Amino acid sequence: MTEIRSLMPPGRRRLLTAQPPGGEDLSAYLATGGYPPAPDPRRLLDRVASRGLRGRGGAGFPTADKLRAVRDAPGQAVVVANGEEGEPGSAKDRWLLRSRPHLVLDGLRHAASVTGAERGYVYLSDAASADSIRRALAERPPDTPVEVVLTEHTYVAGEETAVVRRIDGGPALPTAKPPRPFERGVGGAPTLVANVETLARLALLAAGPGTAAAADSYLVTLSGGRTEPVLVEVPRGTSLRSLADTHTSDGATAVLMGGLFGGLYGDGWQDLRLDHDELAAAGTALGCGAIRFLFPEDCPVGAAADAAGFLAAQSTRQCGVCVSGTQALAGALAALALGKASAQDTENLLRWSAGLPGRGACGLLDAAARTAGTLLRHFPDLVRAHLGVPCPDCAAAPPDGGNRLTVAVP
């Protein structure tokens, strides 16, 4: 069972707080200052920009830029709370939807105010989250009509163009870009697709003075080893060494970063800090905030094979390069884990990891390529040791398609 734990300094408003079974109801949310009068939209947008709030869904795009683009596009805007959590190692979005639905809806209200939207959607696949949101909507019917849209749970269903396509009645599959949703989204209207944690933090920022730290903290899902997964809230700049201590992960030797988006990281991982720009400079990424610790018995080659196998199975088979690319990456990494790979396989992995990113309609192929590329970059000696020689750690835990990467919602 996943636990929750806040590492925020005393006195700061938090997203991650203990909630009763069934989550926070309207009276409890109002008692903490929920649903305050909406500030002037221009003033709120300036506040979001000055605080540097960035999206929490994966790419970390500046939230003010997205809000401004939708506001300024021609047509009546639409806002979408995206709660479709495709990364297997993440639990934060479903926790927010189940436990703090009013906070998410409050953020959606402010997003509608800033963009001028007259309708909104909450998009998800988790049945418990859908029930929680519907109860919250019944407790406090919103000024802007909000509809709950359920989808099938897949890795790519939360990609922004897949979200739009599903809300419009189609399959939850990515489409070619441009146009992006802010240009032409749901029903052809300019559409804001915002992660539910982003919206929750927008609600805190809208509450006024004393909430500035809302933009500078993250929900992070920690897993790996024999310790139960932990969902934590931490300030920006927190080191992975501190997170390992929180997860009682002494002895970890490497990490799998950002769900499956940030790849593997070896020596020096303890000094990485939770900051989008710093992580990008180090060749990795925060992504959705899911971090998996690897221990001496967790071979990074096996972890890479697990991740690539999961991604290959999740390919929507829309893009030929994604189908062939993810299968090739997964096959070569599985062969490496089983001691059946050759030097040519590693050369292929190096070439594919450099040449495949950016060629698919979504980020799935990029994630698979980054997994392979970071394995080769951070663990070259380990990769060479696997050529033609079975690894006892990999043999003890052969690739299972990513099932080991999944965590439960607290």
Side-chain angles (χ1 to χ4, degrees):
M1 176 66 70
T2 309
E3 301 177 25
I4 66 169
R5 203 175 300 165
S6 179
L7 303 183
M8 296 297 292
R12 293 194 181 184
R13 291 283 296 276
R14 305 175 180 187
L15 298 191
L16 197 62
T17 57
Q19 299 296 332
E24 185 177 48
D25 63 13
L26 178 60
S27 61
Y29 186 59
L30 291 174
T32 61
Y35 294 119
D40 177 81
R42 290 170 297 180
R43 190 169 299 171
L44 176 56
L45 184 57
D46 288 343
R47 188 182 303 167
V48 172
S50 66
R51 298 304 181 192
L53 179 63
R54 299 175 72 157
R56 298 299 198 264
F61 193 78
T63 302
D65 290 353
K66 290 185 73 171
L67 289 165
R68 192 176 291 112
V70 174
R71 181 199 63 182
D72 294 345
Q76 189 64 62
V78 174
V79 288
V80 180
N82 184 6
E84 175 44 27
E85 197 165 33
E87 293 282 6
S90 180
K92 69 182 182 69
D93 295 338
R94 285 167 293 163
W95 184 88
L96 278 170
L97 290 164
R98 293 182 187 187
S99 299
R100 304 213 62 189
H102 285 288
L103 184 64
V104 174
L105 292 174
D106 204 357
L108 191 64
R109 173 178 73 108
H110 291 297
S113 173
V114 171
T115 60
E118 293 186 353
R119 58 189 169 122
Y121 298 87
V122 180
Y123 174 86
L124 40 74
S125 65
D126 178 56
S129 297
D131 290 343
S132 177
I133 290 293
R134 289 190 179 109
R135 283 194 300 270
L137 289 170
E139 284 186 303
R140 189 184 189 276
D143 297 330
T144 299
V146 173
E147 180 181 342
V148 177
V149 176
L150 278 163
T151 188
E152 293 294 321
H153 176 66
T154 66
Y155 185 80
V156 303
E159 194 272 341
E160 61 176 4
T161 62
V163 172
V164 168
R165 194 173 179 184
R166 174 67 186 88
I167 291 174
D168 277 341
L173 299 175
T175 59
K177 297 171 278 291
R180 290 195 174 273
F182 77 87
E183 299 168 303
R184 188 164 70 246
V186 175
T191 300
L192 175 78
V193 179
N195 172 263
V196 295
E197 183 189 348
T198 310
L199 292 172
R201 297 197 178 280
L202 177 62
L204 292 185
L205 281 175
T211 61
D216 278 339
S217 54
Y218 302 96
L219 294 184
V220 182
T221 312
L222 307 175
S223 62
R226 298 183 179 88
T227 304
E228 293 292 341
V230 181
L231 178 61
V232 299
E233 185 171 15
V234 294
R236 181 172 65 88
T238 299
S239 71
L240 265 63
R241 178 180 284 105
S242 296
L243 294 179
D245 291 343
T246 299
H247 188 240
T248 60
S249 291
D250 290 340
T253 57
V255 290
L256 182 61
M257 286 291 298
L260 304 181
F261 184 72
L264 289 154
Y265 209 96
D267 289 345
W269 66 266
Q270 299 94 332
D271 297 323
L272 294 175
R273 302 195 314 155
L274 298 190
D275 178 273
H276 285 284
D277 295 334
E278 288 188 27
L279 290 173
T284 184
L286 180 60
C288 65
I291 298 172
R292 184 173 185 84
F293 297 104
L294 303 183
F295 292 80
E297 65 270 21
D298 302 317
C299 181
V301 173
D306 260 352
F310 173 84
L311 292 166
Q314 288 291 308
S315 172
T316 65
R317 311 189 71 81
Q318 285 193 131
C319 308
V321 68
C322 180
V323 175
S324 59
T326 55
Q327 288 181 345
L329 287 162
L333 288 169
L336 190 65
L338 297 173
K340 298 179 180 179
S342 65
Q344 182 61 54
D345 289 314
T346 61
E347 291 176 14
N348 289 340
L349 284 170
L350 183 62
R351 176 166 51 85
W352 294 333
S353 66
L356 289 175
R359 297 182 61 188
C362 67
L364 186 147
L365 180 59
D366 293 16
R370 176 173 261 176
T371 297
T374 52
L375 174 71
L376 296 171
R377 183 163 66 251
H378 288 281
F379 305 96
D381 294 340
L382 185 63
V383 168
R384 284 191 292 270
H386 277 68
L387 295 178
V389 180
C391 167
D393 292 329
C394 290
D400 72 345
N403 292 327
R404 279 187 291 269
L405 305 176
T406 302
V407 300
V409 182

